Every structure is written in C-alpha cells, then in structure tokens.
Amino acid sequence: MQLYTASEKLHLFILTDQAMTISVVTPLWQDQPAIDNVNVARNAERCGFSDLWIGEMATFDAFAFATAIGSVPGKMALNIGPLAVSVRTPTTIAMGAASVATLTGRTTRVAIGASSKVVVEEWHGRPRLRTAKHLEETSIALRGLLDGEKVKFEGELARCNGFHLRTEAPGAHITVAAFGALAVKVAARHSDRMLLNMVTTSSTARLRQQLEDAAKEAGRPTPKLAVWLGCALDPGEDAITQVLRSKVGYLAAPGYSDMFIEAGFKELVALAKTRPHPREILSAMPAELAASVGLLGTTDTLRERIAEYRAAGADEICIVPATASDPGAERTLQAVSRLLP
C-alpha cells in the first residue's frame, strides 16, 4: 500500500471532500443467503447514501430486486447492473429500467458489461463474441430507448426495429463496465460513466488516463469514473476470507493477473494459472491481497484509502460491504457514511 506524508494525506482528504461520491453495492457473497441484501439496502438507505448498485449473477433478477427495494419510502437512486449485453437485449434492458422507475418513482440508471464466458455461454447458452462491439451497439440503441424514442438500429450484434417504451422513460444514463482497452474506448465514446471492478489505485490511474485520452479523441467530455471495492470496518478473519473468496476467479484472468503481479502477488498468480481447486488458491491468499483492491481496516484507514482512489482519478467509490460478522453490513455502512462529503 502506498504511504503518504501528513501534508499529502491532508491534500488527498481535500480532494475527496470536494468531489467524491460514495455509493453502496449490494454484495453477491457466496457464503451468505441472497435475501441478506435486503438488509444491506435498507441500512444503506438509513445511513444516507445517495446511490445503490444492484448487480446480477446467480441470485435475484436485478430488476425484480430493484423494484422490491425501491417500493419502500426512500430517496436512493437505483443503479442496475452491470447487465451482460450478450444475455439481455437493448429492449429488455430498457423495459426493465422503465419498469423499475415507474413502479418505484426512483431515479433509475443502468450499467452494461461483457460478463464472463461461464455466465454467458455456460449458464445462459448464448454466444459471447466481439464484446467491445456488442457493448458499443447496445449503448447506441439503449440511449434512444431510455429517452423514450422509437428506435430503429441495425447492428451486427445488437438491433431494435421500431420499439419504444409505453411507460415513462427513465432517461438515458448509461454506465459501461470496462477493463480492457477496447471497452474503455466504448465507455469514452458512448457512456455517461465507466465502471471498474476490483482494481488497485495504480490500475485506476492508468485506466483513468486511458478514458481521458479516448474521450478527448472522440471529442467528448470524460465520463465519470466509478470503482467497485470490497469494504470492511475492522475486519476479522471471516470478513477477510469473505472478501478474498470473491477474488479467486480473477487471479488468472487476462489483465487482472498482470495487475496482481504488479501488486506483488506473482507467486499466487502462478499458482492460480495451474488451475488448482479454488480452496487451494483461497488458502494461499494473504489478507494484503484483499487490501490491495479494497477498503479494509479502521475508519482512518478507510478514509485514507478512499482518498487514494480519489487521487488516482475515481469520481465515485462504490463500496461492496462485507457482511460476515456484520449482519446487513450495518457497522461498515455506518462508519463509511460518516465520511460522506
């Protein structure tokens, strides 16, 4: 972890206070019942967070969960996704977002991404091809649909001919989840916000620069940059293990493996590339790995790490709170809420 002098820390805190947004992600921890996310969402609302992110993997349908959460009194905006563009069409995404917005009366935004081969090809039986192109075409069609327009778009991988929403349009605000260079260019050209998942501060800075360069080339303002980060206040062994378990599948993944090597985990990446049982990888993972791509520690440590990510170029920190030994992430959310601008 990078160290700063007292004066540098003060400068980072000032940067954080000026422009940082801190939001909450409903976690997808494998060791906890999915219904626990209801309590995470309710605690986030009580603690005064402005935005909630609702991802989708193997538990709740994201639009159904967003409607359930948004149907109770509250003001949090609902950010749904990233949704896999190889699984959902622009029309189904727009219909889902408009349904949530109409039924809850809340600000509703969508995020799209490529997802993984396992999710797309094995779970859903859909081809996962030319993902950057698919992201781009979905973004183009989706922007018009979310604005309530009748869209006629014929892409190579995404298309829509004549559909328009019959419910109130939620408004076009699109987030593109990116990591590779081509996806970053799509985000720069077509998104309002780019999302990074689980990155070091060094990677955040590099990807921010790529985003700025690509936006300048496209003649557009630089989209906002949001970063999902595991978060735990004063974590015990169970919370650290919970966060580490979510990193197992990334150690050998293209791009991520290079990031973890740069962060000092070369031997662990080499082990992961031999494809051992996930339990073997998990048992070899140190707590420092979770800390390198997350916010773990005392309140002061969380504040410092948020400031470091702000200095690296993040406009929004999206905390993915650990719930092991912290039901509904109440302690962690209360602590982070005190750091809100």
Side-chain angles (χ1 to χ4, degrees):
M1 184 183 299
Q2 187 172 357
L3 300 178
Y4 294 87
T5 66
S7 62
E8 287 172 331
K9 286 180 181 178
L10 177 60
H11 179 59
L12 292 176
F13 297 161
I14 291 171
L15 284 173
T16 300
D17 290 341
Q18 284 181 339
M20 176 60 70
T21 297
I22 304 177
S23 55
V24 177
V25 182
T26 50
L28 300 172
W29 304 127
Q30 298 176 32
D31 61 342
Q32 299 294 320
I35 197 67
D36 287 358
N37 275 324
V38 172
N39 290 328
V40 173
R42 288 174 178 168
N43 286 334
E45 187 86 68
R46 289 192 202 101
C47 289
F49 290 92
S50 63
D51 283 74
L52 183 74
W53 290 77
I54 298 167
E56 184 175 76
M57 189 180 292
T59 56
F60 297 118
D61 172 272
F63 294 120
F65 186 77
T67 302
I69 295 303
S71 294
V72 298
K75 297 180 179 180
M76 278 193 309
L78 303 173
N79 299 270
I80 303 172
L83 302 168
V85 295
S86 299
V87 175
R88 292 185 185 265
T89 68
T91 299
T92 60
I93 294 172
M95 288 177 66
S99 298
V100 173
T102 300
L103 294 170
T104 68
R106 298 202 188 205
T107 298
T108 304
R109 309 183 187 102
V110 295
I112 57 175
S115 195
S116 67
K117 283 192 173 185
V118 170
V119 171
V120 174
E121 297 183 355
E122 297 183 24
W123 292 4
H124 290 278
R126 303 290 296 274
R128 184 181 181 274
L129 303 170
R130 302 170 63 196
T131 54
K133 183 69 171 178
H134 208 158
L135 281 169
E136 180 177 42
E137 292 181 352
T138 298
S139 298
I140 294 169
L142 193 54
R143 187 166 295 280
L145 289 168
L146 292 173
D147 268 340
E149 299 173 5
K150 180 177 286 189
V151 170
K152 184 173 184 180
F153 177 81
E154 187 71 25
E156 298 174 38
L157 297 164
R159 56 189 62 87
C160 177
N161 186 6
F163 179 83
H164 69 93
L165 293 168
R166 271 65 170 182
T167 53
E168 185 175 352
H173 185 287
I174 298 172
T175 297
V176 171
F179 191 71
L182 293 178
V184 171
K185 287 184 177 180
V186 172
R189 293 169 182 163
H190 300 287
S191 79
D192 303 283
R193 177 174 52 183
M194 185 172 86
L195 174 64
L196 304 176
N197 178 34
M198 191 193 68
V199 287
T200 61
T201 53
S202 296
S203 288
T204 300
R206 279 196 299 273
L207 289 160
R208 172 75 190 206
Q209 189 61 57
Q210 290 178 27
L211 180 65
E212 290 180 357
D213 292 344
K216 183 178 180 180
E217 182 180 345
R220 294 187 72 224
T222 301
K224 296 292 186 180
L225 180 62
V227 184
W228 280 16
L229 299 168
C231 181
L233 175 69
D234 298 325
E237 184 177 346
D238 52 353
I240 292 172
T241 299
Q242 185 179 63
V243 175
L244 284 173
R245 186 178 287 112
S246 68
K247 319 302 180 194
V248 169
Y250 288 88
L251 284 167
Y256 283 99
S257 59
D258 293 334
M259 180 186 73
F260 283 118
I261 290 171
E262 179 189 51
F265 304 102
K266 182 178 180 179
E267 293 182 1
L268 192 60
V269 170
L271 171 64
K273 288 187 175 182
T274 67
R275 302 295 179 183
H277 193 280
R279 283 195 301 269
E280 183 178 348
I281 301 175
L282 181 61
S283 66
M285 295 169 74
E288 289 78 13
L289 186 142
S292 72
V293 289
L295 317 172
L296 284 77
T298 65
T299 300
D300 284 344
T301 300
L302 300 185
R303 181 186 293 110
E304 291 173 17
R305 289 290 284 156
I306 289 171
E308 290 169 5
Y309 277 97
R310 174 67 186 101
D315 299 297
E316 179 178 352
I317 296 294
C318 317
I319 64 167
V320 187
T323 57
S325 301
D326 185 12
E330 186 171 7
R331 288 177 54 251
T332 293
L333 293 176
Q334 285 180 348
V336 177
S337 70
R338 299 187 187 103
L339 307 178
L340 292 171

